[in-house]
Every structure is written in structure tokens, then in C-alpha cells.
């Protein structure tokens, strides 16, 4: 099973087959954030892929809309829209970092 390593906490969790990074992180009780429940509506679940970005599902239209081209070019993805079958390393923002970018609607 593929592994998701969270660079800034040192945690490594299993990527659930066929499930989003969000669900894999939540399943492993990692501090990933969501307001919309995984519908690409809040942007709170964003993670920055540090290694293995080429192994992920392609960036989809809701991600393009929510993140914009600059963030995508920097490696940011919506965990709720992203799947992996291979090992990856990511950065998981802390709550304070998300205050200005996470829609609480
Ligand atoms: S959980 Fe809201 S955008 Fe991913």
C-alpha cells in the first residue's frame, strides 16, 4: 500500500486504495482540515506535494478553480480531490496558516 509522509510532522500513513488523500489522512487521525466535507468547496484541505507529484491523479477543474495556477505550480493540491497509488511526501498546513485562505462558508 502506498505511503503518505507528512514532512512537517514526521508522520507516515497509508493511502487508502481508491480514496482521496483527505480520507486517508482523516482515517489516520491526521490534522487535515475540511469545512465542505470533501466537495472542493472550502479549500481547507490543501496540501503541498513535496515529492511524488507526478504520481498523483491529475489536477481537476475544481482544484484549478479553488487554487489557481500559481498555487498548483507550487505543488498545492486539494487533498479531497487527489488520489495516489504511490508513495508521496507532502506538507500539511497548520490551522493558523489556513485562516486567511480557508473559506468558512
Ligand atoms: S475538503 Fe473542502 S475543498 Fe477539500
Amino acid at each position: 500500500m502506498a505511503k503518505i509522509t507528512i514532512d512537517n510532522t514526521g508522520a507516515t500513513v497509508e493511502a487508502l486504495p481508491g480514496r482521496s488523500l483527505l480520507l486517508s489522512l482523516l482515517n489516520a487521525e491526521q490534522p487535515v482540515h475540511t469545512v465542505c466535507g470533501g466537495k472542493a468547496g472550502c479549500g481547507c484541505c490543501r496540501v503541498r506535494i513535496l515529492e511524488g507529484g507526478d504520481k498523483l491523479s491529475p489536477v481537476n477543474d475544481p482544484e484549478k478553480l479553488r487554487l489557481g495556477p500559481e498555487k498548483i505550480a507550487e505543488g498545492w493540491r486539494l487533498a479531497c480531490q487527489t488520489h495516489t497509488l504511490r508513495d508521496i511526501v507532502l506538507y500539511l498546513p497548520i490551522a493558523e496558516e489556513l485562516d486567511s485562505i480557508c473559506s468558512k462558508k
Side-chain angles (χ1 to χ4, degrees), residues 43-90:
C44 305
C45 69
R46 67 186 60 194
V47 295
R48 189 172 189 180
I49 307 301
L50 302 177
E51 294 177 28
D54 58 330
K55 301 167 183 166
L56 300 174
S57 54
V59 177
N60 65 20
D61 288 342
E63 288 182 283
K64 291 175 186 169
L65 193 65
R66 177 61 62 182
L67 295 170
E70 287 183 21
K71 291 293 182 193
I72 290 171
E74 292 172 359
W76 291 91
R77 299 292 305 265
L78 294 181
C80 68
Q81 301 298 303
T82 307
H83 300 72
T84 186
L85 295 172
R86 304 284 178 84
D87 294 356
I88 60 169
V89 179
L90 58 75

